[in-house]
């Protein structure tokens, strides 16, 4: 409906690329410095990177549009988590885990699909993705009480709930992430950025929930083993 000069279009592209690059750099710098102004600027740039990173959907690096903002928010959530304890730390940790899960998992999938096409054709690739997704969730849940932030495991319900919240959080963000994209590119974006555990439709949500719940149970089992070793 609207025409735009090539020069202006390239200017927009370069600006978006710049924001996508500056975002992670500012987040890392703000983590080590105590400047509140820089921290606020990092948050603003990270929010802008959600829209700016859309430019990566024009090439084969489309998944960076999800990796970059996720990494930025993960770094930003590290600072408030350093001084918080109890339920506040629990909430921050769960959000941080979702961001880390998305950034790490999508990065691994991007590497495999970009450089190991022979492995992807293998019928065990979906199983590998399923195991990887759950292993990362299990690791994040297992590390939660070990942060010395007054978080204790008092039963199986807690690790199961944490595991479900992390998995559901990642899935919800994936489903809602397409909203920020132009309608003309959503079809391409879905096929390029989709990172569900089984690469199936969302009808597999019950399978996902069952896997995440089992992951939480296994983590609780390892907690008990750890406690038994410490009591000896």
């Amino acid at each position: 409906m609207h025409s735009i000069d090539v020069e202006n279009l390239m200017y927009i592209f370069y600006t978006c690329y710049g924001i996508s690059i500056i975002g992670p750099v500012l987040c890392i710098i703000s983590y080590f410095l105590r400047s509140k102004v820089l921290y606020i600027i990092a948050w603003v740039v990270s929010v802008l990177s959600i829209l700016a990173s859309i430019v990566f959907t024009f090439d084969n690096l489309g998944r960076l549009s999800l990796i970059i903002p996720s990494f930025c928010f993960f770094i930003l959530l590290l600072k408030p988590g350093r001084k918080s304890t109890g339920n506040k730390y629990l909430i921050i940790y769960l959000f941080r885990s979702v961001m880390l899960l998305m950034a790490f998992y999508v990065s691994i999938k991007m590497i495999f699909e970009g450089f190991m096409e022979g492995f992807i054709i293998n019928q065990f690739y979906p199983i590998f993705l399923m195991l990887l997704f759950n292993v990362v969730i299990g690791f994040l849940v297992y590390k939660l009480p070990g942060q010395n932030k007054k978080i204790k495991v008092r039963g199986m319900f807690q690790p199961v709930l944490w595991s479900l919240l992390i998995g559901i959080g990642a899935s919800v963000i994936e489903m809602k992430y397409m909203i920020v994209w132009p309608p003309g590119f959503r079809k391409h974006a879905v096929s390029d950025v989709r990172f569900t555990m089984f690469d199936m439709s969302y009808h597999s949500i019950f399978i996902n929930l069952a896997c995440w719940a089992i992951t939480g149970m296994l983590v609780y089992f390892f907690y008990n083993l750890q406690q038994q070793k410490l009591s000896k």
Side-chain angles (χ1 to χ4, degrees), residues 16-55:
C16 292
Y17 282 125
I19 293 175
S20 299
I21 296 173
I22 293 174
V25 175
L26 282 178
C27 291
I28 294 174
I29 294 175
S30 66
Y31 175 75
F32 292 101
L33 300 181
R34 296 183 177 180
S35 174
K36 293 184 178 179
V37 176
L38 181 60
Y39 186 68
I40 294 174
I41 294 175
W43 268 101
V44 174
V45 175
S46 296
V47 173
L48 291 176
S49 69
I50 297 176
L51 296 173
S53 58
I54 294 175
V55 296

Side-chain angles (χ1 to χ4, degrees), residues 98-133:
V98 171
M99 296 297 106
L100 179 60
L101 172 64
M102 296 171 67
F104 175 78
Y105 183 78
V106 180
S107 298
I108 293 297
K109 188 172 182 182
M110 183 177 176
I111 293 173
F112 269 88
E113 296 182 5
F115 301 101
M116 302 183 67
E117 296 182 2
F119 182 79
I120 295 173
I121 298 175
N122 193 299
Q123 60 181 343
F124 295 106
Y125 181 61
I127 299 177
F128 166 77
L129 293 178
M130 177 194 68
L131 293 175
L132 176 63
F133 195 87

